[in-house]
Amino acid sequence: MRITRKGKANKKVMSVIAHNYDKLKQLCGYRASGLYCSKSREDIFQDTVLFVSQDEKAVSLPDKELIQYFCYRFRMIEYQSINDNKLLKEIPYADYLQTPKTAAKEE
């Protein structure tokens, strides 16, 4: 549902993520249950890795702040996935839809 970034990953950011990979998994609680838009928490975690590695803001952050930023982005992507999942479950009934009004009726 969301548009993914298409760009190059920053090597510095990827090395910080690689060194702290297990710590990031524990902080983000990726083992909790849930499936949103056919995405598990592991998929959301990997989406976060891709997002943060391509983010320009993450390049200038020190290691400790980068870990906090990663956890923040994980929660944001998880929130977006949950809301996307809710949108897919909604059924637009005919009673809720409005017909467009025409300016002039032909009789």
Side-chain angles (χ1 to χ4, degrees):
M1 295 283 243
R2 301 285 171 183
I3 298 172
T4 57
R5 291 182 177 208
K6 294 181 181 179
K8 293 187 177 183
N10 187 295
K11 290 181 181 180
K12 176 195 170 276
V13 175
M14 286 301 290
S15 67
V16 172
I17 291 173
H19 290 295
N20 297 300
Y21 192 79
D22 292 330
K23 181 179 179 181
L24 289 170
K25 279 191 165 186
Q26 288 177 350
L27 288 173
C28 295
Y30 79 101
R31 290 241 185 238
S33 62
L35 194 62
Y36 312 106
C37 290
S38 301
K39 287 185 176 183
S40 66
R41 293 211 181 218
E42 183 67 29
D43 296 328
I44 295 171
F45 186 82
Q46 294 304 322
D47 287 347
T48 307
V49 170
L50 291 174
F51 184 89
V52 172
S53 67
Q54 296 173 0
D55 194 1
E56 295 296 325
K57 184 179 178 184
V59 175
S60 61
L61 296 174
D63 294 355
K64 199 170 202 176
E65 289 181 22
L66 182 63
I67 292 171
Q68 292 173 349
Y69 182 68
F70 185 91
C71 293
Y72 168 75
R73 280 294 167 193
F74 177 82
R75 289 190 306 272
M76 294 303 296
I77 293 172
E78 179 183 35
Y79 177 77
Q80 290 172 347
S81 297
I82 291 170
N83 284 337
D84 289 345
N85 191 45
K86 286 179 185 176
L87 287 176
L88 287 176
K89 289 183 179 181
E90 291 180 3
I91 300 171
Y93 292 104
D95 295 340
Y96 303 144
L97 300 176
Q98 293 183 356
T99 57
K101 296 180 181 179
T102 57
K105 292 184 179 180
E106 293 182 36
E107 293 182 34

